[in-house]
């Protein structure tokens, strides 16, 4: 007990130290804005220059060369340089993408490029079959995408620009406003980069070259070093930023995406640019373009075109250095016409991709064709996760687990935060609080539940800690650079340099009385030399071979080292630490949470790693890879878990992420607040993440900071179970306990009902994840993704900001105010055959409706024409439901009597399904009163078939116009009369006198969905 108290006091001391700088909301003084960062400030001045229309960078069409992987390269020349110094690569991918890359030729320093396979798939996507056509001042590339869309990319030669059209409609223009900037590396303190015949070499300050060299009141602050927040960022390579504009053409009512920011779903056009610089942000604010924990610099645009139709396109900026994005319109405050964005990054190369669409599913498919698809999660990962900072002991964990069972509340996973470790040395246990961790985790596994431990990437500096010692001894920590100034060996004294401080006064002559024999030789007096330039000294530069030492920063353990996860050797070492014989106290049901991986450095600039730290793998500055640090951490963890138990499906949760993180981890929206505004913001934040390819995402239910009241808690659960693919509640160390069973009975029962609904719907969630894994379809998504032709989904406030779709079948409307402020909700139901309320089955036609609110549920509606797989038997965890049969809910299109849907089944845990056949996927159709399987794919292996159910025990049909007089089942030609269905008359929500009914059919014998079974269930009129 004394040891536990000592640990608690240690935690309190850390919190007290941090609280000195923490306030009730984010401390803005810690984090830079565009104007406080030199490269963004320079770019804003550059794009406002008086000569903006002048063509600077031009494509040289005569230099075109075919690329081995498909596409073409061109040399690019600046008007004020003698030779071309940039190389342009243009690639067209068959699924409907156009990619443009711009890099230096023979740069002074190698610019960082993301290694092949880290973000873009390797091999890259299939190249389109393209024959370039040279036209006046441009090269035109045309191809037909795999979906049949006609894509045209027109490369303008001078100035460099790109226009992309799809099916004859112009969707995007790159560099249309001539905002291109590309700062080449310079020699130390040089004004211009090398070019033997650069215009104006004699007066370099007058050359119009780039944002770091032009004659228009150039801001030179921060070119070679830059202070902020008490830290100085040394830049021995000088300025290296780049930027460009993109215009989304046509009538563009809304832009979406740019995860991760706490903004509305329809992106606001702020004065301050959106920032991408992964940071540990405390109590982040809502409706802000400030940087948060992750970066997916992707914009989705809706383009309305003549004839009442719409299409979508996407634009992806692939750069892991700090990036700013500014949105604007031709006319401020008018959400019509084209929308524009400019992008600027601190370093690296320009790598952008236009997703031509034109349908939302095609944009999502193109994104995943480029970056890869996600693996299937284990079914358990879609269940309820119970977490807090912290469960303080083995007994505490046992009490939480037993309490869920006591109140019959389902959950799947218990989580441990940092206090479970021995002094924040990860991969270890606090032996006083957790004396037998293996017994603890095995007891959780025995109930068919799972465990997740936090393992952060900062390594406690302690020679007794084997991980620290081994990483240090292998030289795998990120390095600190100790800079010292030396004479520039390339600097030579100018020929006209005058070092004589005094010269003879030629105006004075020898006096007549001067006697040379007596007075000696006469010398004229000396006067100050007006040409004197001072004592010449070589220019001082940073030593190109400075001293390197392990970078150390402060985080939860105190002084810590930070591994270089960009190094495959480090990732291999990290992954090996999860082996069951190394990570003692864990078992095969223990999975991992990577937090603080932005990385968080409490005493660093902006609470992160200095930009001038060096990653020894490739000697890359941290500025070049900052936004990918967390990506490499969770990738290493994922790959380690893959090797730990071959064939198992790893689970990793990350806070920091980048493009492509969906291949390795789940994501949560970080340290949110127990406020109604944060509950509402989670709708947009989750939607933006799923548009960015990350579907296994969620927000901390109830908020991480502060404590929600009971009504807020209920509303948060009601929304989360229907729209958070990753469902976890988590809370700060200083908040009261908030497990479902600690609330009053009424509140506890409402939370329990919400969680039971989640478990009932797990077959739907799992089936949707299969479609995500195969095709990249977001599991939850904004309404426009499914109803693009309904303009209300583009800009209707309720549709865009308060609602979201679960797959194509369930519309969810969040309630984000207390009943004291909101007693009814305005719901927008998009154009569809109709909608059935989830709770009562009430039928509603498309359009706007008012939903009276109570505390038992929130508005949610199944789309007419859907068949939804469910499971009705409640168990303690999802794994305990494997053998339970299915229920099918059939929501008919009342006019046609049609419905269709799908269920996906496998062993729910291993990767066996990846062989392409060890699963069962069944398509259902209801037509002319008959439910049947229209297509079956795959076959469950014998062992899987014995472990999971593929049977239907119950069917409920909604929207019948006639009261059925019975039901029958035909299996392999044999007919069975089923018990009389239970009939209920449905309410029709528009006040219509139309009569609709539902029928519950109990199926005996159960319908087997296994491959080879032929069956049909008929409703008898």
């Amino acid at each position: 007990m004394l040891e536990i108290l000592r640990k608690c006091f240690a935690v309190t001391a850390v919190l007290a130290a941090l609280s000195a700088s923490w306030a009730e909301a984010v401390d803005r003084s810690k984090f830079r804005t565009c104007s406080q960062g030199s490269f963004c400030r320079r770019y804003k001045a550059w794009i406002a220059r008086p000569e903006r229309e002048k063509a600077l960078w031009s494509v040289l069409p005569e230099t075109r060369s075919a690329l081995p992987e498909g596409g073409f390269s061109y040399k690019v020349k600046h008007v004020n340089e003698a030779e071309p110094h940039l190389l342009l690569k243009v690639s067209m991918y068959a699924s409907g993408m156009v990619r443009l890359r711009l890099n230096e030729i023979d740069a002074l320093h190698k610019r960082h490029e993301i290694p092949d396979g880290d973000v873009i798939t390797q091999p890259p996507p299939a190249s389109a079959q393209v024959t370039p056509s040279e036209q006046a001042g441009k090269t035109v590339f045309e191809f037909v995408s795999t979906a049949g869309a006609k894509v045209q990319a027109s490369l303008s030669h001078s100035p460099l620009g790109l226009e992309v059209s799809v099916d004859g409609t112009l969707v995007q223009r790159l560099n249309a406003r001539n905002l291109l900037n590309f700062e080449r590396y310079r020699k130390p303190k040089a004004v211009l980069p090398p070019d033997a015949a650069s215009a104006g070499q004699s007066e370099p300050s007058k050359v119009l070259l780039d944002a770091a060299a032009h004659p228009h009141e150039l801001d030179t602050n921060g070119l070679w070093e830059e202070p902020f927040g008490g830290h100085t960022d040394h830049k021995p390579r000088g300025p290296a930023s780049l930027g460009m504009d993109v215009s989304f053409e046509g009538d563009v009512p809304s832009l979406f995406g740019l995860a991760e920011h706490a903004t509305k779903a329809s992106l606001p056009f702020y004065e301050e640019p959106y920032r991408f610089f992964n940071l540990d942000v405390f109590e982040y604010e809502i409706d802000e373009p400030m940087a948060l924990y992750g970066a997916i610099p992707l914009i989705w645009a809706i383009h309305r075109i003549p004839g009442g139709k719409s299409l979508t396109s996407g634009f992806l900026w692939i750069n892991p250095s700090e990036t700013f994005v500014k949105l604007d319109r031709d006319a401020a405050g008018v959400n019509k016409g084209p929308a524009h964005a400019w992008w600027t990054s601190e370093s690296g190369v320009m790598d952008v991709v236009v997703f031509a669409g034109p349908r939302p599913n095609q944009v999502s498919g193109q994104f995943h064709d480029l970056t890869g698809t996600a693996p299937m999660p284990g079914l358990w990962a879609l269940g309820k996760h119970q977490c807090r900072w912290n469960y303080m002991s083995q007994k505490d964990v046992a009490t939480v687990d037993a309490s869920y069972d006591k109140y019959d509340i389902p959950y799947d996973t218990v989580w441990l935060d940092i206090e479970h470790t021995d002094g924040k040395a990860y991969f270890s246990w606090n032996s006083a609080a957790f004396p037998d961790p293996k017994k603890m985790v095995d007891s959780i596994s025995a109930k068919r539940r799972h465990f997740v431990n936090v393992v952060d990437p900062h390594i406690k500096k302690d020679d007794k800690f084997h991980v620290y010692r081994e990483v240090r001894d292998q030289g795998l920590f990120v390095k600190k650079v100790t800079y010292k100034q030396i004479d520039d060996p390339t600097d030579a004294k100018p020929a006209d340099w005058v070092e004589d401080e005094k010269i003879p006064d030629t105006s004075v002559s020898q006096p007549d009385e001067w006697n040379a024999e007596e007075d000696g030789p006469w010398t004229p007096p000396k006067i100050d030399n007006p040409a004197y330039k001072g004592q010449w000294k070589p220019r001082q530069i940073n030593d190109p071979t400075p001293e390197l030492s392990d970078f150390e920063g402060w985080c939860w353990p105190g002084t810590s080292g930070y591994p270089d996860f960009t190094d495959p050797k480090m990732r291999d070492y990290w992954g090996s630490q999860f082996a069951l014989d190394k990570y003692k106290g864990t078992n095969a049901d223990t999975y991992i949470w990577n937090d603080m991986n932005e990385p968080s450095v409490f005493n660093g600039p902006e609470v992160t790693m200095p930009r001038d730290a060096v990653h020894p793998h490739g000697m890359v500055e941290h500025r070049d890879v900052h936004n990918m640090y967390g990506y490499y951490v969770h990738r290493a963890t994922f790959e380690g878990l893959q090797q730990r138990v071959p064939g198992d499906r790893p689970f990793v949760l990350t806070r920091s992420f980048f493009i492509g993180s969906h291949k390795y981890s789940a994501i949560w929206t970080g340290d949110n607040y127990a406020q109604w505004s944060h509950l509402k913001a989670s709708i947009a934040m989750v939607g933006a993440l799923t548009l960015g390819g990350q579907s296994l995402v969620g927000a901390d239910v109830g908020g991480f900071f502060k404590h929600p009241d009971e009504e807020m808690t209920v509303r948060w659960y009601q929304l989360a179970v229907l729209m958070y693919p990753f469902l976890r509640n988590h809370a700060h160390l200083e908040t009261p306990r908030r497990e479902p069973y600690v609330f009053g009975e009424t509140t506890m029962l409402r939370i329990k009902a919400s969680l039971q609904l989640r478990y009932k719907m797990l077959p739907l969630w799992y089936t949707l994840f299969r479609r995500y894994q195969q095709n990249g379809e977001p599991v939850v998504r904004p309404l426009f993704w499914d109803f693009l032709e309904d303009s209300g989904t583009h800009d209707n406030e309720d549709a865009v900001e308060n609602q979201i779709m679960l797959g194509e079948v369930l519309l969810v409307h969040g309630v984000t105010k207390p009943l004291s402020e909101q007693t009814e909700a305005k719901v927008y139901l998009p154009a569809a055959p109709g909608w059935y309320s989830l709770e009562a089955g009430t039928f509603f036609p498309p359009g706007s409706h008012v939903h009276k609110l109570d505390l038992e549920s929130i508005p949610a509606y199944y789309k007419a024409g859907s068949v939804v797989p469910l499971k009705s038997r409640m168990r303690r965890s999802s794994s305990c439901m494997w053998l339970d049969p299915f229920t099918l809910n059939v929501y008919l299109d009342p006019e046609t009597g049609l419905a269709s849907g799908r269920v996906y089944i496998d062993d729910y845990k291993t990767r066996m399904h990846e062989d392409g056949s060890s699963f069962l996927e069944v398509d259902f159709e209801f037509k002319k009163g008959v439910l049947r399987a229209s297509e079956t794919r795959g076959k469950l292996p014998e062992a899987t078939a014995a472990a999971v159910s593929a049977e239907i025990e119950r069917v409920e049909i909604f929207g019948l116009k006639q009261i059925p007089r019975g039901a029958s089942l035909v299996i392999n030609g044999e007919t069975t009369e089923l018990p009389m269905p239970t009939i209920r008359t449905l309410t029709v929500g528009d006040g219509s006198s139309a009569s609709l009914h539902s029928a519950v059919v109990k199926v005996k014998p159960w319908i087997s969905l296994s491959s080879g079974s032929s069956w049909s269930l008929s409703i008898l009129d």
Side-chain angles (χ1 to χ4, degrees):
M1 176 62 71
L2 288 176
E3 176 63 14
I4 294 175
L5 288 173
R6 186 184 67 79
K7 295 289 187 181
C8 289
F9 289 138
V11 171
T12 303
V14 170
L15 288 172
L18 293 174
S19 296
S21 59
W22 285 355
E24 283 293 303
V26 63
D27 183 355
R28 293 174 177 273
S29 68
K30 288 185 177 181
F31 306 112
R32 295 201 317 189
T33 61
C34 175
S35 63
Q36 293 173 308
S38 62
F39 81 91
C40 188
R41 190 171 63 243
R42 286 198 308 274
Y43 187 72
K44 288 181 71 175
W46 171 249
I47 64 178
R49 67 189 184 275
E51 303 165 90
R52 205 183 80 187
E53 301 306 316
K54 183 177 181 180
L56 297 180
W57 284 276
S58 298
V59 175
L60 304 181
E62 66 275 14
T63 65
R64 188 181 79 205
S65 177
L67 296 171
E69 69 273 19
F72 303 89
S73 68
Y74 296 84
K75 291 183 178 180
V76 175
K77 181 182 176 300
H78 193 287
V79 67
N80 287 325
E81 292 183 328
E83 300 293 333
H85 290 290
L86 300 181
L87 184 67
L88 174 70
K89 295 180 180 180
V90 183
S91 303
M92 281 65 61
Y93 298 130
S95 61
M97 293 179 277
V98 182
R99 184 181 181 191
L100 183 150
R101 286 167 283 175
L102 196 61
N103 197 357
E104 282 195 66
I105 300 172
D106 297 327
L108 283 174
H109 309 283
K110 186 180 185 299
R111 298 183 79 104
H112 178 68
E113 294 182 86
I114 299 172
D116 292 342
D118 283 4
V119 170
I120 308 303
T121 57
Q122 185 61 28
S127 183
Q129 298 300 311
V130 178
T131 302
S133 171
E134 296 295 342
Q135 300 180 16
K138 61 184 178 181
T139 304
V140 177
F141 309 93
E142 293 182 330
F143 65 97
V144 177
S145 74
T146 51
K150 295 179 180 179
V151 180
Q152 182 186 88
S154 179
L155 177 66
S156 299
H157 298 158
S158 185
L160 185 161
L162 186 73
E163 295 185 351
V164 178
S165 301
V166 60
D167 292 334
T169 298
L170 178 64
V171 290
Q172 292 187 31
R173 300 169 68 206
L174 279 57
N175 202 36
R177 297 186 289 166
N178 203 26
L179 306 188
L180 179 64
N181 176 54
F182 199 107
E183 297 170 354
R184 293 171 50 222
Y185 283 129
R186 289 128 163 93
K187 291 182 179 180
K189 303 298 176 72
V191 174
L192 299 174
D195 188 315
S198 290
Q201 279 285 14
S202 60
E203 295 184 85
S205 63
K206 294 185 178 181
V207 176
L208 179 67
L209 188 71
D210 57 27
H214 61 79
H216 305 296
E217 298 182 4
L218 176 65
D219 181 357
T220 59
N221 293 322
L223 290 177
W224 297 93
E225 62 179 31
E226 185 169 6
F228 183 79
H231 300 264
T232 298
D233 173 20
H234 298 276
K235 305 178 182 182
R237 299 175 182 177
S241 71
L242 44 94
M244 188 174 63
D245 59 283
V246 57
S247 293
F248 302 94
E249 296 297 328
D251 183 10
V252 179
S254 294
L255 300 176
F256 296 83
L258 292 185
E260 182 179 40
H261 292 94
T263 69
K264 291 184 174 182
S266 178
L267 293 170
F269 286 59
Y270 297 113
E271 282 300 312
E272 175 69 16
Y274 289 83
R275 188 186 186 204
F276 286 103
F277 191 67
N278 295 353
L279 293 169
D280 179 0
V281 182
F282 179 87
E283 289 185 349
Y284 57 83
E285 295 180 0
I286 300 303
D287 197 21
E288 280 289 338
M290 291 178 65
L292 290 179
Y293 311 96
I296 309 175
L298 168 68
I299 287 179
W300 284 64
I302 297 174
H303 309 260
R304 291 174 177 167
I305 59 179
K309 295 186 177 181
S310 298
L311 52 84
T312 52
S313 71
F315 179 85
L316 180 67
W317 180 273
I318 308 172
N319 187 302
S321 71
E322 182 184 12
T323 297
F324 286 90
V325 187
K326 178 68 168 69
L327 307 182
D328 57 46
R329 296 273 192 181
D330 292 335
V334 178
N335 293 338
K336 292 183 178 180
H340 310 286
W342 59 248
W343 309 66
T344 185
S345 293
E346 184 179 13
S347 61
V349 301
M350 188 172 292
D351 189 350
V352 303
V353 183
V354 175
F355 303 117
R359 306 298 300 173
N361 67 312
Q362 290 158 358
V363 173
S364 291
Q366 289 155 6
F367 177 90
H368 286 280
D369 186 34
L370 183 76
T371 62
T373 54
M376 277 294 291
L379 180 65
W380 67 271
L382 307 182
K384 169 65 163 64
H385 298 259
Q386 182 58 53
C387 181
R388 77 172 276 111
W389 178 25
N390 202 93
Y391 294 122
M392 301 303 296
S393 68
Q394 197 164 324
K395 181 179 179 180
D396 197 356
V397 170
T399 300
V400 171
D401 181 67
S403 297
Y404 266 90
D405 288 342
K406 177 181 178 180
Y407 293 97
D408 292 323
I409 302 172
Y411 93 104
D412 265 270
T413 313
V414 63
W415 292 53
L416 289 182
D417 210 324
I418 55 177
E419 309 308 327
H420 82 275
T421 62
D422 181 8
K424 315 304 185 297
Y426 305 106
F427 303 101
S428 71
W429 295 88
N430 176 342
S431 59
F434 298 89
D436 193 348
K438 186 64 164 58
K439 179 180 178 181
M440 175 181 65
V441 299
D442 285 347
S443 69
I444 296 295
S445 292
K447 291 186 174 182
R448 305 189 73 179
R449 289 175 174 145
H450 297 78
F451 226 93
V452 172
N453 278 355
V454 73
V455 178
D456 292 346
H458 48 265
I459 306 301
K460 180 178 183 178
K461 184 180 181 181
D462 183 347
D463 286 340
K464 297 178 182 179
F465 181 30
H466 74 281
V467 175
Y468 170 78
R469 191 172 61 249
E470 291 166 5
V471 174
R472 180 199 62 194
D473 292 349
Q474 295 179 71
L476 295 175
F477 279 122
V478 173
K479 305 301 180 184
K480 174 186 177 181
V481 181
T482 300
Y483 289 96
K484 63 179 180 179
Q485 297 284 293
I486 63 169
D487 293 345
D488 184 351
T490 68
D491 194 14
K493 182 169 67 174
D496 61 350
W497 190 272
V498 177
E499 289 187 300
D500 295 326
E501 185 176 358
K502 300 288 186 179
I503 60 174
D505 186 349
T506 58
S507 67
V508 179
S509 58
Q510 179 176 316
D512 293 339
E513 65 273 16
W514 188 271
N515 185 321
E517 290 183 0
E518 295 181 359
D519 299 328
W522 184 83
T523 57
K526 292 190 175 184
I527 60 173
D528 291 339
N529 185 354
Y532 176 61
K533 294 186 177 181
Q535 188 69 31
W536 183 84
K537 293 181 179 179
R539 180 173 51 237
Q540 294 293 290
I541 61 171
N542 284 321
D543 187 345
T545 57
E547 178 185 344
L548 298 179
S549 58
D550 288 344
F551 169 76
E552 294 177 352
W554 195 62
C555 207
W556 295 126
T559 302
S560 305
Y562 290 77
D564 179 10
F565 285 97
T566 69
D567 190 340
K569 183 179 178 182
M570 178 61 220
R571 296 199 296 270
D572 289 345
Y573 170 81
W574 180 263
S576 72
Q577 299 308 300
F578 297 102
L580 298 178
D581 61 346
K582 289 188 176 181
Y583 192 177
K584 302 295 185 180
T586 65
N587 65 14
D589 291 326
T590 305
Y591 297 91
I592 303 301
W593 168 21
N594 293 147
D595 198 359
M596 315 297 285
N597 53 339
E598 292 75 25
S600 180
V601 183
F602 292 160
N603 60 336
E606 300 194 86
V607 201
T608 192
M609 186 178 291
R611 298 160 194 256
D612 55 7
V614 170
H615 293 256
H617 180 64
M619 294 302 292
V620 175
E621 286 189 307
H622 183 70
R623 79 180 75 253
D624 296 329
V625 299
H626 174 82
N627 286 342
M628 285 190 72
Y629 189 86
Y631 165 97
Y632 284 120
V633 173
H634 61 68
R635 174 180 172 179
T637 303
F638 179 92
E639 291 171 346
L641 294 179
Q642 273 189 322
Q643 295 182 19
R644 182 189 70 175
V645 181
D648 187 37
R649 301 183 201 177
F651 174 86
V652 181
L653 178 71
T654 183
R655 187 170 70 176
S656 184
F657 55 89
F658 191 65
I659 306 160
S661 286
H662 62 276
K663 294 175 286 191
Y664 307 110
S665 66
I667 294 168
W668 93 106
T669 61
D671 298 341
N672 60 350
Y673 210 128
Q675 291 180 337
W676 289 99
S677 61
H678 277 253
L679 170 58
K680 181 173 182 176
S682 73
I683 301 173
M685 294 180 75
V686 167
L689 284 166
T690 64
L691 289 178
Q694 322 279 329
S695 268
L696 191 51
V697 297
D700 283 343
V701 176
F704 176 70
F705 289 110
K706 306 302 179 183
H707 190 62
D709 61 31
E710 296 201 358
E711 183 178 359
M712 184 189 298
T713 302
V714 167
R715 290 302 194 205
W716 215 310
Y717 270 100
Q718 288 171 343
L719 179 65
V721 299
L722 297 176
M723 71 150 282
Y724 292 1
F726 171 62
L727 179 64
R728 181 184 78 154
N729 89 290
H730 181 41
H732 190 273
L733 183 71
E734 297 177 334
T735 62
R737 290 294 179 101
R738 64 174 71 157
E739 292 78 15
Y741 49 81
V742 304
F743 292 96
E745 183 177 12
T746 301
T747 295
M748 184 271 288
L749 290 175
R750 286 170 175 153
I751 296 172
K752 178 179 177 179
S754 294
L755 291 172
Q756 288 177 332
L757 176 60
R758 172 61 167 238
Y759 277 78
K760 178 180 180 179
M761 295 175 64
L762 281 179
L764 172 61
W765 281 98
Y766 198 67
T767 300
L768 292 172
F769 265 95
R770 171 63 169 179
R771 297 179 70 166
Y772 167 62
Q773 182 256 332
Q774 284 188 305
N775 307 317
E777 296 183 14
V779 172
V780 297
R781 58 261 197 153
L783 271 62
F784 78 83
W785 202 96
D786 293 282
F787 304 98
L788 185 62
E789 301 305 335
D790 186 334
S791 62
T793 66
H794 308 169
D795 52 16
N796 178 283
E797 180 76 12
D798 290 308
V800 173
E801 304 300 341
N802 297 322
Q803 299 177 182
I804 202 162
M805 290 295 298
L806 172 58
E808 61 184 2
V809 299
L810 183 69
L811 183 150
V812 183
H813 182 105
V815 176
T816 56
K817 292 181 180 179
L819 277 175
S820 61
E821 298 179 23
Q822 181 183 11
T823 58
E824 59 186 27
K826 295 180 181 179
V827 177
Y828 183 82
L829 300 178
W835 299 86
Y836 295 86
S837 69
L838 183 150
E839 289 298 315
T842 301
F843 179 81
F844 293 89
S848 294
H849 300 272
V850 174
H851 185 116
K852 297 293 184 182
L853 297 177
D854 58 39
L855 280 175
E856 304 309 315
S857 64
I858 61 173
Y861 307 84
Y862 282 111
K863 187 181 73 172
S866 304
V867 177
V868 181
L870 306 167
K871 286 198 174 185
S872 299
R873 304 184 184 196
M874 287 298 104
R875 308 291 184 183
R876 63 158 60 108
S877 71
S878 65
S879 298
C880 294
M881 300 170 68
W882 287 4
L883 281 168
D884 291 338
F886 290 88
T887 291
L888 294 183
N889 276 17
V890 181
Y891 296 93
L892 298 178
D893 175 343
E895 294 302 315
T896 64
L898 300 177
S900 61
R902 177 180 296 176
V903 68
Y904 173 78
I905 307 167
D906 58 21
D907 66 11
Y908 300 126
K909 186 169 177 60
T910 78
R911 298 170 60 192
M912 190 181 299
H913 63 283
E914 294 177 4
D915 66 8
S917 60
S918 297
F919 58 83
L920 192 63
E921 193 167 34
V922 182
D923 291 343
F924 302 107
E925 70 170 7
F926 189 96
K927 184 177 182 180
K928 296 181 179 180
V930 179
L931 176 67
R932 59 168 54 89
S934 58
E935 185 177 355
T936 299
R937 294 172 293 281
K939 183 178 181 180
L940 295 177
E942 185 176 343
T944 303
V948 305
S949 172
E951 297 157 311
I952 299 171
E953 67 168 341
R954 184 175 183 272
V955 175
E956 184 166 5
I957 304 166
F958 295 80
L960 294 166
K961 288 189 173 183
Q962 304 293 328
I963 297 177
R965 56 181 177 83
S968 65
L969 176 65
V970 178
I971 300 178
N972 294 329
E974 183 176 337
T975 302
T976 300
E977 296 298 322
L978 298 175
M980 182 65 190
T982 301
I983 309 300
R984 181 166 61 93
T985 299
L986 301 177
T987 303
V988 178
D990 64 352
S992 168
S993 59
S995 180
L996 296 176
H997 311 278
S998 71
V1000 177
V1001 181
K1002 294 183 178 179
V1003 181
K1004 294 182 180 180
W1006 293 348
I1007 298 170
S1008 173
L1009 300 176
S1010 299
S1011 182
S1013 297
S1014 173
W1015 63 272
S1016 63
L1017 187 153
S1018 299
I1019 301 299
L1020 307 177
D1021 293 335

